[in-house]
Amino acid sequence: MHTNALIDEKSPYLRQHAHNPVNWMPWGETAFQKSRAEDKPIFLSIGYSTCHWCHVMAHESFEDPAVAEVLNREFVSIKLDREERPDVDRVYMLFVQASTGGGGWPMSVWLTPDLKPFFGGTYFPPSSRFGRPGFRELLEHIAGVWKAERERVVASSENVVGQLRGLTEASRESAAPDRELLESAFGQLRRNFDQRWGGFGSAPKFPRPVVFHFLLREYARTGNEEALAMVTKTLAAMSAGGIHDHLGGGFHRYSVDERWFVPHFEKMLYDEAQLLVAYAEAYRITGDKKLVAAARDIASYMLRDLADSSGAFYSAEDADSPDPDDPSHSREGAFYVWKKEEIASLLGPDTDLFCRHYGVEEQGNVEQDPQGEFAGRNILYEASALYEASAGDSEALDRARKILFEARSKRPRPHLDRKILTSWNGLAISALARSSVLLGEKQYLEAAKRAASFFLERMYDTGSGDLLRRFCDGEAAIPGFLDDYALFGTALLDLFEAAFDPRYLQIAVTLARRMLQLFEDRESGGFFSSRKDSTSLVLRVKDDYDGAEPSGNSIAADLLLRLAHITGDDTFRSAADRSLRALAPKIKAQPLMAPRMLAVIGRSFTEPEQTIIRCEKIEPQVEELLRERRAAFAPYALILAITDDSAPVLSRIAPFLGSLERKGRIAIYHCKNFTCDLPQTL
């Protein structure tokens, strides 16, 4: 079996390609030097381990000795995991999107030896089809152009980098954000809302939890019932649909149709974490039991299937898995779909009820199936979602789900990407900490603490304040990026507000200050995604688009504003204001590019409000007082308990909080903008 240089890498994605006949190399100076020494262009292939079309292109092209012969002869081939190196991915994705009008993974980019791109695309078939050139034919053509027209290619690449730099350089224009930005974004969401199925736009439909985050805060800020209704209708439709794993919990990546029925079966940690918060917050507002059931369902999946023994969380589960009927053949969704006869053999007398409730049909329930992936099989969805099951039916359905879950667990599982990422774990820790408050589940808080401890012990340097990005197979590596600092800092802040341990606040402050040093653009405002000392990037990019994941800029601004409201430190407030002013003109032109940043703008319009319970220790009466004051959904308010032990520590980090005196056994302070009413004493 051929083995290439990827065999020494930790990334599951890179190791998937370690036995390709292609002489892959990891991104780094060794590969760059080889390109320069041999005067060969670089072929850069970017993907991730649970990417379906990455698997397809690997099987069709990278496992083909004839393709490998061309790559090995004419190019230096580099394979990169986008989840490990989002900084590199963003640079070349910007190029591919600008030059082709689209993007995605696998991403294929050809670079000069000095890393400047001159041609790129996404998936290329092995032979010409779908209006795309065949991959081997394309390789031969590019190799020929490089040899015959080198100067033109190099000049073109330099021109490309200049144009990309122009796209990424911040405009000197800045403006204070106003409430019209929020109204404009809401108006666009209203126009795009699918009144029948929920969600926004048509197929394929992505959950995009950053939109839920914004709309729920607009509801809290303005009382706009329509904002709330758009969220709850979408969450209810998703929970009933096939995008929801009704047996094992959690949600798949997106739906290929408009009604949330046929999913792309990949499961991502960042989706689960953000959706857990969305369902928990929507439940806190509405009291809808189906919403809280979905939230607990997500948390159960995360803690059971994505949690490492250390407490940290793995990245993702693949869409593809071996077919139970033919383990030599992998296909999408094989782990999740069912034949009716199989269900009947397992459920006996409960079969009819289960099949009616979950839309199971004798011939399979997927009508649009051009590839035949689901022939004779069923995707479970709540066909009777509007039907209120009787107590007896509910009990039977619970029993049936458990039986099928146990049977399914014996099937070959999808590939699990065991890579542990700081930014995505930041989302997970935040979700568990906040959900512990919203749902009253102490086990979620304990899970969040365990995960945070892993990162503080293995990924954080207490001396420098530096974070690492990735842990895999015993190795912590790769200096953290903006989203790592912002999301993990936010996670610690959420833990502080849930557990009241001032150590979390102290480290969040340290991380925020280090984030400002490493990433802030002091001249134009906002934050670069990569560090100042990044040597292998042809340009530094500011990530400001809130897509499947919130952007580093949105989370950084929110973290700074929250810290300003807690600590009273104007350094944080000023940096947040610079960021908001820098991005406001762009958001005005494209209101829906940054829903999470819009929520930060909403926070900036809200006067800091604090409810502080000053007590000797956390005792049952204090916990009851906290529950009462947290009953209403108030996302911009700070509700804390400060004990005799934590007050002296807080006095150094947040002097206002630390100065509040305990009068009597318990004192309750209600404060606005750091000015408090006389306390209520108990």
Side-chain angles (χ1 to χ4, degrees):
M1 183 181 293
H2 182 84
T3 301
N4 57 50
L6 301 184
I7 196 66
D8 296 321
E9 294 299 303
K10 300 295 185 181
S11 159
Y13 176 63
L14 299 187
R15 292 180 69 89
Q16 284 175 350
H17 295 267
H19 295 295
N20 292 165
V22 178
N23 290 332
W24 292 116
M25 301 181 74
W27 179 266
E29 192 56 36
T30 301
F32 308 154
Q33 287 180 358
K34 180 178 174 63
S35 172
R36 291 191 291 265
E38 298 180 7
D39 199 22
K40 291 179 179 178
I42 292 169
F43 169 62
L44 174 63
S45 175
I46 303 177
Y48 55 102
S49 81
T50 58
C51 163
H52 172 73
W53 284 100
C54 298
H55 301 330
V56 172
M57 190 167 176
H59 177 66
E60 291 178 341
S61 294
F62 302 144
E63 295 173 9
D64 183 346
V67 171
E69 190 276 328
V70 181
L71 280 170
N72 296 341
R73 169 170 35 92
E74 303 290 352
F75 302 93
V76 172
S77 299
I78 296 178
K79 179 64 75 170
L80 185 128
D81 184 338
R82 68 168 294 263
E83 295 168 354
E84 280 194 337
R85 294 300 304 266
D87 58 331
V88 178
D89 178 63
R90 286 188 185 106
V91 170
Y92 297 112
M93 180 61 75
L94 181 65
F95 164 68
V96 169
Q97 289 173 331
S99 58
T100 69
W105 300 277
M107 183 160 60
S108 306
V109 192
W110 284 262
L111 318 176
T112 64
D114 58 359
L115 309 181
K116 294 173 182 174
F118 62 88
F119 187 80
T122 53
Y123 163 80
F124 290 99
S127 55
S128 299
R129 64 175 189 263
F130 312 138
R132 297 172 181 262
F135 187 60
R136 185 179 176 189
E137 174 188 345
L138 180 63
L139 290 174
E140 296 279 16
H141 175 71
I142 291 174
V145 170
W146 175 257
K147 292 171 183 175
E149 304 179 55
R150 171 85 52 87
E151 290 184 5
R152 184 177 68 83
V153 172
V154 170
S156 171
S157 72
E158 291 173 351
N159 183 52
V160 161
V161 171
Q163 292 180 7
L164 294 178
R165 188 167 286 114
L167 289 173
T168 58
E169 283 180 351
S171 167
R172 296 293 176 181
E173 180 186 3
S174 69
D178 55 42
R179 287 171 174 78
E180 288 184 10
L181 293 177
L182 308 180
E183 294 164 5
S184 176
F186 176 77
Q188 287 198 26
L189 287 170
R190 175 198 279 155
R191 290 190 290 275
N192 291 338
F193 184 66
D194 184 338
Q195 297 286 348
R196 182 178 184 188
W197 300 109
F200 300 88
S202 57
K205 271 189 179 165
F206 289 78
R208 207 180 175 201
V210 289
V211 171
F212 306 147
H213 183 93
F214 165 65
L215 287 173
L216 291 178
R217 276 144 190 79
E218 277 301 277
Y219 167 75
R221 191 178 68 85
T222 67
N224 186 333
E225 293 285 347
E226 193 176 357
L228 175 62
M230 285 193 282
V231 175
T232 54
K233 182 176 181 65
T234 302
L235 292 178
M238 286 171 52
S239 181
I243 192 174
H244 181 199
D245 181 355
H246 293 274
L247 301 182
F251 284 78
H252 300 295
R253 182 70 196 86
Y254 63 86
S255 172
V256 302
D257 61 282
E258 74 281 357
R259 62 189 182 103
W260 308 107
F261 173 45
V262 180
H264 174 48
F265 285 90
E266 187 178 8
K267 284 182 173 180
M268 310 298 295
L269 176 61
Y270 58 74
D271 282 325
E272 311 304 335
Q274 293 178 90
L275 288 172
L276 171 55
V277 175
Y279 277 98
E281 289 184 343
Y283 164 71
R284 170 61 75 193
I285 296 168
T286 65
D288 187 325
K289 292 181 179 178
K290 288 187 176 181
L291 295 175
V292 74
R296 291 194 172 108
D297 192 48
I298 296 168
S300 295
Y301 165 68
M302 288 172 60
L303 296 173
R304 183 190 64 239
D305 290 344
L306 294 182
D308 179 68
S309 59
S310 67
F313 293 91
Y314 300 134
S315 294
E317 284 195 293
D318 209 328
D320 298 5
S321 58
D323 188 331
D325 296 336
D326 179 12
S328 65
H329 174 62
S330 287
R331 57 184 177 81
E332 181 167 2
F335 183 72
Y336 299 99
V337 297
W338 295 85
K339 293 180 179 178
K340 185 173 182 180
E341 62 199 53
E342 185 180 8
I343 292 174
S345 70
L346 292 163
L347 298 187
D350 291 333
T351 298
D352 287 345
L353 170 66
F354 184 88
C355 290
R356 279 200 314 276
H357 189 79
Y358 287 106
V360 176
E361 299 177 11
E362 193 73 46
Q363 303 304 317
N365 62 7
V366 182
E367 295 178 6
Q368 300 296 323
D369 184 20
Q371 305 299 322
E373 290 285 318
F374 306 112
R377 294 173 172 85
N378 293 270
I379 296 170
L380 302 184
Y381 74 106
E382 290 188 7
S384 54
L386 300 180
Y387 161 70
E388 197 66 42
S390 66
D393 284 354
S394 293
E395 189 176 308
L397 289 170
D398 285 343
R399 183 170 60 245
R401 282 193 296 269
K402 289 175 184 175
I403 291 170
L404 293 183
F405 174 76
E406 290 301 320
R408 193 181 78 175
S409 67
K410 296 179 174 63
R411 294 176 176 177
R413 286 195 70 91
H415 158 69
L416 174 65
D417 188 323
R418 295 176 180 270
K419 184 169 70 268
I420 293 170
L421 297 174
T422 301
S423 61
W424 295 6
N425 272 262
L427 286 169
I429 294 165
S430 282
L432 290 166
R434 291 167 64 186
S435 296
S436 74
V437 172
L438 292 163
L439 307 182
E441 292 281 1
K442 289 187 176 181
Q443 62 169 322
Y444 298 169
L445 181 57
E446 293 308 310
K449 288 178 180 179
R450 284 192 70 216
S453 293
F454 170 85
F455 285 90
L456 293 175
E457 292 167 9
R458 305 294 297 270
M459 308 287 279
Y460 173 65
D461 185 328
T462 55
S464 66
D466 281 346
L467 267 179
L468 294 174
R469 174 164 179 83
R470 185 268 289 151
F471 184 91
C472 192
D473 196 18
E475 179 192 76
I478 306 174
F481 304 108
L482 171 63
D483 55 345
D484 296 305
Y485 282 80
L487 285 166
F488 188 61
T490 297
L492 294 176
L493 199 49
D494 287 328
L495 268 175
F496 168 64
E497 293 189 19
F500 318 122
D501 184 341
R503 181 179 63 116
Y504 294 129
L505 175 61
Q506 196 166 24
I507 301 172
V509 166
T510 300
L511 284 171
R513 292 200 169 116
R514 187 65 173 144
M515 178 182 77
L516 289 169
Q517 292 171 354
L518 293 172
F519 304 104
E520 189 187 12
D521 180 350
R522 288 299 301 266
E523 291 184 7
S524 303
F527 295 86
F528 294 105
S529 299
S530 55
R531 298 163 61 116
K532 296 177 185 177
D533 57 1
S534 303
T535 58
S536 64
L537 299 180
V538 293
L539 69 158
R540 294 175 80 194
V541 174
K542 286 183 181 176
D543 177 30
D544 53 16
Y545 176 72
D546 294 324
E549 306 167 56
S551 74
N553 267 280
S554 294
I555 301 299
D558 197 41
L559 172 62
L560 293 168
L561 261 188
R562 289 176 66 187
L563 286 174
H565 289 178
I566 291 172
T567 66
D569 189 334
D570 281 341
T571 302
F572 296 135
R573 177 78 203 204
S574 297
D577 285 347
R578 285 194 298 273
S579 186
L580 293 178
R581 290 182 65 88
L583 292 171
K586 192 171 181 180
I587 295 173
K588 185 175 183 178
Q590 306 172 61
L592 295 187
M593 64 167 278
R596 190 69 188 260
M597 184 65 87
L598 290 168
V600 184
I601 292 170
R603 183 188 294 281
S604 74
F605 296 146
T606 305
E607 193 174 37
E609 193 170 334
Q610 301 100 358
T611 297
I612 309 299
I613 300 174
R614 184 66 177 82
C615 54
E616 180 184 359
K617 59 184 179 180
I618 307 296
E619 56 180 277
Q621 186 178 7
V622 172
E623 291 178 338
E624 182 57 34
L625 289 168
L626 286 166
R627 275 193 292 272
E628 290 172 2
R629 280 149 184 80
R630 288 168 163 173
F633 179 62
Y636 297 139
L638 178 68
I639 302 171
L640 285 180
I642 299 176
T643 66
D644 287 355
D645 288 339
S646 63
V649 182
L650 284 173
S651 65
R652 297 191 296 272
I653 318 164
F656 165 72
L657 296 179
S659 68
L660 297 176
E661 297 179 357
R662 177 167 63 84
K663 299 178 179 180
R665 194 167 57 85
I666 298 172
I668 305 170
Y669 291 86
H670 297 284
C671 315
K672 279 195 173 182
N673 204 18
F674 303 103
T675 301
C676 302
D677 297 335
L678 289 173
Q680 174 189 357
T681 58
L682 300 175

